[in-house]
Amino acid sequence: MNTYQSRYYQYKNILLIISSIIFLAIQTFAYNVMYQSAFANLRRFREFERGHLAILAIYAVILLVLLLLFSALKIGYMRNIDVLYSQAISIGIVNAVSYLILLLIGKKSFLDMTYLGPFLILTVTQLALCIIWTMTTRFLYARIYPAYQILLIYGDIDPKPLEEKVHSRFDRYQVRERISLSEGMANIQHKVHDYDTVLIADIPSHERNHIMKYCYWHDIRCYALPKVSDIMIKASDRIDLFDTPLFLTRNVGLSVSQSFIKRLFDIVVSLLAIIITSPIMLVIAVAIKFEDKGNVFYKQERLTKGGKKFLIYKFRSMKADSEKNGSRLYSSDDDRVTKTGRVIRRLHFDELPQLFNILKGEMSVVGPRPERDDICAKYTGIIPEFPFRLKMKAGLTGYAQVYGKYNTTPYDKLKLDLIYIENYSFWLDVKLCVFTIKILFQKEKSEGVDAGQTTALNPDIYNNFPYSESYYDK
């Protein structure tokens, strides 16, 4: 490992903790200044005077919990824009809660500008502080911890797509050299000592495990693409009943209590969303009808939990005869898309009618995106594990939608969905819902497949190559 990086790496967590404490202190201080000056009239309430420090402590604790929940302090790990978005969401929520509390204490109306004005000024000030703190901390982080110089080890699959993804975070990772398994394990072991970091692409398990153990023994940082079985094991329970360690994967899906909470969450969120977005849906319906006089809604059979079929509702974004030559996924520069359709697809507003699917119980707010039966069959023919996604009800948004893209490969989409299924929690659903708002405005999230593709299977990779877990776990 690079000696400069090695010297300071052990202090990274300490530095991040210190910077996070400073950030929390600055934001709490800003809040303190605001309500000390703007809410001086509340001092006539003895309870308010005595609870001054308690209110500050509660504010700081709620803010800290939200910052951790939305990963708003992960400088260097997440992109600056993602960190700032998470901080904005956290500050917005904690300020809204504090505002309501002070309204109750002061017995003021919701829109009283003597209360609302200072909070708006506070929020703008805090967001400015977020930008200053994030940019400053990120600059110092980059100076202390330069990008990792990576050796990429690959097998039969072309590593170029993976390398391009890594290159998108050039500030953190830089692939300097590639080496193929065909060059032999001895050459690979010799080569890894020239780099501070190793990235293992999709290669057979036996060779991957050998390289990982070698890197572990020689204190070399190692990244590896997970396999389906890795995701299952990572989410398993450790059993310490014997002197032989065991991992338990229950494989039974959600518990009764989890299912109840998730369904209650679906009902509440879908009802509120239908009420809030009803004006938007009305405008979209009128625009679609006005453009070509065709049907407003588009219905299509999809798969949900256990392979059960249902009719999914969407706003029609393509021409009425778009599937006269057979069905295929939306592609970049697709000439079947209408003018209205291009706008609503860009904002994902064509998916809004699925709120009614959720209310009916056919879908969930969060879960794997539902696939068509014929496309699922094609994916399963190459990736036998693809139906594992059907262990949970299909969702309007999901882990693969937030951290993937429309044209994410089926194998990667499977792994992203399994991460969600195996690590489900109510708070994970809340987090994914919040982050879904952000991806509405990210163009890359709605990019179609390449022209000529009917599915997300890239023929250059999949046509003559066994991509299944059974191949890699041999």
Side-chain angles (χ1 to χ4, degrees), residues 26 67 71 118 130 142 144 149 170 190 216 224 226 290 294 357 380 382 456:
I26 290 173
L67 291 171
S71 304
C130 286
I144 299 174
Q149 306 303 298
F170 194 77
H190 177 74
Y216 181 84
F290 180 79
N357 287 118
T380 304
I382 297 173

Side-chain angles (χ1 to χ4, degrees), residues 102 115 155 158 242 303 324-325:
L102 291 178
Y115 276 49
D158 183 5
F242 319 104
L303 300 179
K324 62 181 180 181
N325 297 321

